[in-house]
Amino acid sequence: VSNLIGYVTDVRQKSDIETYRHIDHFPDLMVFAEPEEIELIRDIHNEIGFTAEYKEGNKETYEFYRKKYERLLREGLIVYRKDGESSIMEDRYDLEELVTNSPDMYFFDMDEDGAPELCIADTAGTFVCKYDPETDGYVSWYDNITSGGCILGSRKIGYSHNDDEEYLNQMDEDGQIEIRIEYAALMRPQRYIVSIPGYMERLQKGQIPESMKRKLYYDRQNYFVRVTKEQYRDLIQGLHDAREQAGRHTVPLSYFIEDIEDEEY
């Protein structure tokens, strides 16, 4: 009964908010959020955080895993998804493609299980690969062919689509999206919107005022408010800073394959 009551309450609260199939369908005349509401959103975004520590895990195992990923890259072995199907990773990132395109590569404990993962991100997509010592095989922890991805630390992945839509994904330990912060610049007319992650839960906990509801727009996934261009730039700066800092944590392909420059493709 309690679950049914919660469901009914959730539906009633959502019905009070304008709902659209996609953010591109949001109305031209959207209500702006108040300055104090912008500060609340800023606090929520900062609470989630735009970057995380690039955790090392057990450094004593790094050489063992480095050799395993070298084998993967050299031989183009199959990487399997959790459902047993093969990942698209080997189609996008064979060794020749890696040499030609020089994507951003990372080697650290992405999923916080103590062992390092191989992470790759560039225009061909974003991939996180795990080596499983028990099966001597490779598993895709995360793969997405969308361009514009960036590894922002353990369990955090950012995306940018031509600077008109950007978001941060906080992942759970299994590589599924746990929380998303989304920013978008809508065109014709130009409007700027930002999401409020976990809105319903925060509302029920009294962390968000009821008065904010009339300023919300819902795309069946996230709740958004309209902000000014200046507020948008200010709110999204943390994500941009995180993306810029990510470059400090990349490793070259030669980290895995030392003699790569001597090989021909």
Side-chain angles (χ1 to χ4, degrees):
V1 175
S2 60
N3 289 338
L4 178 59
I5 293 174
Y7 172 76
V8 172
T9 301
D10 185 57
V11 170
R12 184 181 300 119
Q13 288 172 329
K14 286 183 178 179
S15 67
D16 295 335
I17 299 171
E18 295 188 64
T19 302
Y20 300 85
R21 287 191 300 171
H22 190 271
I23 59 174
D24 289 338
H25 299 154
F26 286 174
D28 294 349
L29 298 177
M30 300 174 65
V31 180
F32 283 96
E34 298 294 335
E36 59 270 20
E37 294 166 340
I38 298 297
E39 290 306 310
L40 175 59
I41 294 170
R42 185 197 311 280
D43 290 343
I44 292 173
H45 289 191
N46 288 338
E47 174 191 321
I48 296 168
F50 297 100
T51 189
E53 178 185 356
Y54 291 76
K55 294 188 176 181
E56 293 184 345
N58 185 355
K59 288 289 289 185
E60 294 181 359
T61 67
Y62 267 50
E63 181 59 16
F64 169 81
Y65 281 94
R66 186 197 68 78
K67 290 181 178 179
K68 295 301 181 181
Y69 291 122
E70 176 182 5
R71 185 183 71 172
L72 170 70
L73 297 174
R74 280 188 181 277
E75 300 179 22
L77 302 178
I78 296 177
V79 179
Y80 289 96
R81 299 201 313 251
K82 297 181 182 67
D83 61 6
E85 296 294 325
S86 61
S87 166
I88 54 176
M89 179 176 173
E90 65 270 15
D91 296 330
R92 300 275 172 162
Y93 288 120
D94 61 25
L95 193 52
E96 182 176 359
E97 290 293 328
L98 290 172
V99 172
T100 302
N101 296 328
S102 300
D104 291 335
M105 303 182 69
Y106 306 77
F107 188 57
F108 70 105
D109 186 7
M110 177 64 167
D111 66 352
E112 300 179 326
D113 69 342
E117 282 74 44
L118 169 64
C119 310
I120 305 175
D122 79 338
T123 56
T126 302
F127 303 89
V128 179
C129 177
K130 290 176 60 65
Y131 172 73
D132 183 356
E134 292 187 5
T135 63
D136 191 30
Y138 300 87
V139 179
S140 173
W141 185 79
Y142 178 86
D143 59 28
N144 190 320
I145 61 172
T146 303
S147 63
C150 184
I151 305 296
L152 301 180
S154 296
R155 292 170 51 182
K156 287 187 185 289
I157 299 176
Y159 279 93
S160 176
H161 299 159
N162 301 319
D163 295 329
D164 59 358
E165 187 175 1
E166 302 182 56
Y167 46 90
L168 169 83
N169 288 335
Q170 170 70 51
M171 317 300 291
D172 66 16
E173 61 185 10
D174 295 319
Q176 302 300 311
I177 299 174
E178 192 173 53
I179 301 171
R180 170 173 285 184
I181 303 176
E182 187 169 354
Y183 304 86
L186 307 178
M187 308 301 291
R188 303 186 191 92
Q190 192 166 58
R191 292 144 293 152
Y192 297 88
I193 61 173
V194 299
S195 71
I196 307 177
Y199 165 77
M200 293 304 302
E201 294 80 5
R202 295 177 187 277
L203 179 66
Q204 292 165 1
K205 291 178 181 179
Q207 299 174 352
I208 295 178
E210 285 280 346
S211 59
M212 201 170 179
K213 188 180 297 184
R214 69 181 184 86
K215 305 183 182 85
L216 292 177
Y217 300 85
Y218 184 55
D219 71 345
R220 302 182 182 180
Q221 292 185 332
N222 297 309
Y223 295 86
F224 295 87
V225 295
R226 184 181 183 182
V227 300
T228 67
K229 183 177 182 179
E230 292 72 22
Q231 291 167 337
Y232 182 87
R233 287 178 171 176
D234 185 42
L235 289 168
I236 204 173
Q237 187 59 48
L239 179 57
H240 288 177
D241 291 344
R243 291 181 65 94
E244 183 177 346
Q245 294 168 12
R248 304 173 190 171
H249 301 276
T250 59
V251 296
L253 179 60
S254 59
Y255 174 86
F256 299 99
I257 305 177
E258 297 178 357
D259 57 348
I260 189 66
E261 295 181 357
D262 298 329
E263 303 195 21
E264 296 182 2
Y265 294 96

